[in-house]
Amino acid sequence: MHAALHLLLALALAPLVPGIVNRVKARVGGRAGKPLLQTYFDLAKLVRKGVVISETASWVVWAGPIVSLAAVACGLLLLPGPGTPAPVAFGGDFLLLAYLLGLSRLALVLAALDTGSSFEGMGASREAVFSALAEPVLFLCFLSLCAGSGGLSLSTMLALPSPGPVTAERLFVPVILFVLLLVENCRIPVDDPNTHLELTMIHEVMVLDHSGPDLAAVVYGAALKLWIFCALTALTLTPASGLSPLAAWGVFGGLMLVVAVAVGLVESAMARLRLLRVPRLLGWAGALVALSLVLSVWR
C-alpha cells in the first residue's frame, strides 16, 4: 500500500517540484514569479492544443516523447518509498532504472535528430555527451550504496537502518546525487531551462519542434525524472527504518522540499558553466563517489 501511495504521489506531485524551484528563484531575485502550479497549467494547456510536425520528420518525432515518458514512468516502479519497498524490486534493479532513464533520453535524442534541424542536432549531441559522462558516476553512486547496505536492490540500498554515525562516505553519495540531478535534468550550472538562445541551449533546443500533447509528454516526463533524482537524494538521507511510517513520510517530504529549494538556490546563486567545464565537474563528482565506494568497502 505504501509503495502504491508513493507511486501515486510521484505521478501527482512531480509537476509541483519545478514550481517550487521557480518560486525560490523568483523570491531570491525579488520577483513575484510564476504561480506554484504553473507546470500543471502548462500541461493542461498543451494537452488541449494540436500537434504540428515538420514535413521532413518521420514517426520517430511523435514516438520519441511517448517512449520517453513511458520509460521514466516505468522507472518510478523501481523507486522505493521511505521505509517501504518499491512496487517492483529485485537484485540489480538499479541497472534497470539507469537504463530506463537512458532509454528515455535516447528516445528524445532520436526524435531531435529526426527533425533534421541543425540546432536540435547540436542540443542532442551535447545531451548525449554529458549523459555518457554522468552515467558512470550514477553507477558508482549505486555501487557505493550497495557496499554500504550489502543489498543489490534499490529497496535495500535506500533503506537506512537508523540515523547512525555521520561518516564521509555517507555524505558523499547524496551530494553527488544532487550534482547528477543538476546534470541529468539540465539545470544550472549545466544548462539553463529558461534560456532562449539556441546556441547555448541543450535540452530545451532538443524539443523545439514538439508541440501540443507531444510537448506535454516531454514536460511531464522531465518533471517525473526530476522527482526520481530528488527522491533518490532524499532517500539516501531518510532514516526510514528507525522511524514510524508517518514520521518517515514526514521526513521524506521535508527532504524533498529541501532538495527542491536547494536546486532553486543553486540556480539563483550560480551562472552557467562553460560547456568545457561540465566534464571537469563530473570528473570531480566521479572521484568523490569513487572515494566513497573505497571507504564503504574498507569499513
Side-chain angles (χ1 to χ4, degrees), residues 2-278:
H2 288 166
L5 177 62
H6 188 201
L7 180 62
L8 292 176
L9 283 176
L11 293 174
L13 299 181
L16 190 61
V17 179
I20 296 173
V21 173
N22 289 331
R23 290 295 292 176
V24 171
K25 291 168 63 178
R27 291 293 182 185
V28 173
R31 297 178 283 107
K34 300 177 182 176
L36 193 61
L37 304 180
Q38 184 62 49
T39 308
Y40 293 97
F41 301 150
D42 291 342
L43 290 173
K45 180 182 68 177
L46 290 171
V47 168
R48 293 196 300 269
K49 287 183 174 292
V51 176
V52 178
I53 298 178
S54 168
E55 294 179 353
T56 62
S58 69
W59 58 271
V60 177
V61 170
W62 61 262
I66 298 173
V67 174
S68 176
L69 177 59
V72 178
C74 289
L76 281 175
L77 294 172
L78 303 171
L79 193 65
T84 57
V88 178
F90 54 89
D93 54 5
F94 65 92
L95 294 170
L96 181 58
L97 175 62
Y99 285 113
L100 281 173
L101 295 177
L103 175 62
S104 170
R105 183 168 45 246
L106 175 64
L108 289 182
V109 167
L110 292 178
L113 294 175
D114 190 65
T115 62
S117 165
S118 57
F119 277 137
E120 295 195 34
M122 176 191 65
S125 66
R126 288 173 176 174
E127 176 138 335
V129 169
F130 292 157
S131 63
L133 296 174
E135 194 170 88
V137 183
L138 180 62
F139 278 122
L140 283 174
C141 286
F142 286 143
L143 290 176
S144 181
L145 291 171
C146 287
S149 65
L152 292 175
S153 169
L154 284 169
S155 298
T156 305
M157 294 156 53
L158 297 173
L160 298 182
S162 64
V166 178
T167 57
E169 65 271 21
R170 188 170 172 177
L171 292 177
F172 283 162
V173 174
V175 171
I176 302 307
L177 282 174
F178 183 76
V179 174
L180 289 176
L181 180 157
L182 300 175
V183 176
E184 291 280 355
N185 293 279
C186 297
R187 314 296 306 193
I188 292 175
V190 177
D191 188 14
D192 186 354
N194 297 320
T195 185
H196 298 289
L197 298 174
E198 288 87 349
L199 288 176
T200 62
M201 295 161 72
I202 299 178
H203 178 76
E204 293 302 316
V205 76
M206 289 174 53
V207 297
L208 281 179
D209 271 23
H210 295 297
S211 57
D214 290 351
L215 184 57
V218 173
V219 172
Y220 187 52
L224 292 180
K225 187 176 179 182
L226 182 59
W227 176 279
I228 288 177
F229 276 91
C230 287
L232 286 174
T233 307
L235 287 171
T236 55
L237 297 170
T238 306
S241 299
L243 301 174
S244 66
L246 186 60
W249 278 99
V251 172
F252 174 73
L255 288 171
M256 288 288 288
L257 180 61
V258 169
V259 174
V261 171
V263 174
L265 292 176
V266 167
E267 296 199 355
S268 301
M270 295 187 66
R272 261 188 65 167
L273 292 174
R274 291 175 57 192
L275 291 178
L276 294 178
R277 292 190 176 181
V278 177

